[in-house]
Amino acid sequence: FAYGSPIAGTRVAVTKGLLETLEDEEVEAVIGHELGHLKHKDVQIMMFASILPAIFYYIGYSLLLSSMWGSSDREGGASYAVIGLACIALYWILQLFTLYLSRLREYYADRHSASIVDDGARKLQEGLAKIVYASGRMKRKTPQTSSLHAFKALFISDPDNAERDIQALGKEMGYGDQRLVRQVLSRDISLWDQLVEIFSTHPNIVKRIKLMYEYARAKSR
């Protein structure tokens, strides 16, 4: 994952699990993706984009509490409640926009990796699939990974969707094999998949791999 601050600077963290799961060429493509996040200043953009929804949430929550416990005036309490509910509604709208922005930045980072790494689209396709499988296994064996929910926007794929992504890719597929790409390209994205994606920090895995395939084809022309 990519991270940074004005004090510490920008960094890319590579975990031991990633190095054990992927081949060297796939690690190269994943690092290219994370360098794309740094080049596009996604860490800073997503940090600022997340602040506004949080502000509206805490204002709305505080006003709702005030309407129930903090005011003896019924009209005043009703006003607090209406404004509080409006703030909560704005929070949800802005939160959906933030999730959309997060997915968009993932597409940009994928494209960056494919553009700077030799044969990067293929390498990233296979690397993403392996990460999804590994995340699914880890989630089944280690349920406490749910505590990572607040940090999942930093990851290259959404660990909460790992098991669903495995089903989308197909359990029968092998690692490091272009059969993976052909299997994915043959799959359709259902209406349910599209609805789930709206509430995810990362794009649908099948859409990501299909876009990498299209980018590789366009680049080879």
Side-chain angles (χ1 to χ4, degrees):
F1 58 90
Y3 69 100
S5 72
I7 297 174
T10 53
R11 300 285 188 275
V12 171
V14 180
T15 65
K16 182 180 178 181
L18 186 80
L19 297 176
E20 292 175 345
T21 301
L22 304 189
E23 298 173 16
D24 289 347
E25 63 175 15
E26 295 157 354
V27 173
E28 179 188 16
V30 169
I31 291 176
H33 170 99
E34 299 304 333
L35 289 175
H37 281 310
L38 296 183
K39 180 181 179 180
H40 303 143
K41 300 188 183 302
D42 290 338
V43 175
Q44 294 89 339
I45 288 172
M46 293 311 302
M47 180 180 69
F48 284 114
S50 301
I51 289 174
L52 195 57
I55 291 173
F56 275 104
Y57 175 81
Y58 285 113
I59 290 175
Y61 185 71
S62 299
L63 288 173
L64 287 175
L65 287 179
S66 296
S67 69
M68 291 186 290
W69 310 107
S71 176
S72 57
D73 181 6
R74 285 189 176 181
E75 290 186 6
S79 299
Y80 287 155
V82 170
I83 297 172
L85 289 172
C87 287
I88 295 295
L90 278 172
Y91 156 76
W92 279 108
I93 293 170
L94 291 170
Q95 186 69 6
L96 289 176
F97 172 77
T98 301
L99 291 171
Y100 167 76
L101 184 62
S102 176
R103 295 193 298 272
L104 191 63
R105 310 313 291 186
E106 293 298 326
Y107 283 131
Y108 291 159
D110 285 349
R111 187 180 180 89
H112 180 80
S113 178
S115 66
I116 66 170
V117 175
D118 184 37
D119 199 15
R122 176 189 63 80
K123 295 174 183 176
L124 189 59
Q125 287 170 343
E126 295 178 0
L128 282 170
K130 289 185 181 181
I131 289 170
V132 165
Y133 280 110
S135 298
R137 289 198 307 270
M138 181 180 69
K139 191 171 182 180
R140 287 192 292 269
K141 293 179 180 178
T142 316
Q144 61 266 32
T145 53
S146 60
S147 63
L148 297 174
H149 178 82
F151 304 100
K152 65 181 182 178
L154 293 171
F155 304 158
I156 193 169
S157 69
D158 185 346
D160 288 347
N161 289 337
E163 294 187 55
R164 186 182 298 111
D165 288 342
I166 289 173
Q167 293 176 357
L169 291 172
K171 294 181 180 180
E172 74 282 359
M173 289 181 284
Y175 291 159
D177 194 325
Q178 276 301 296
R179 285 183 303 168
L180 168 67
V181 178
R182 291 193 294 270
Q183 290 274 5
V184 172
L185 294 176
S186 68
R187 294 182 180 274
D188 295 323
I189 300 172
S190 67
L191 178 60
W192 175 250
D193 292 330
Q194 296 177 41
L195 290 174
V196 169
E197 186 183 33
I198 293 174
F199 300 97
S200 176
T201 55
H202 291 67
N204 177 278
I205 190 66
V206 175
K207 287 175 65 175
R208 287 179 78 175
I209 292 178
K210 284 186 175 183
L211 282 174
M212 283 292 94
Y213 175 77
E214 293 298 329
Y215 181 75
R217 287 186 59 189
K219 194 175 181 181
S220 63
R221 289 172 185 170

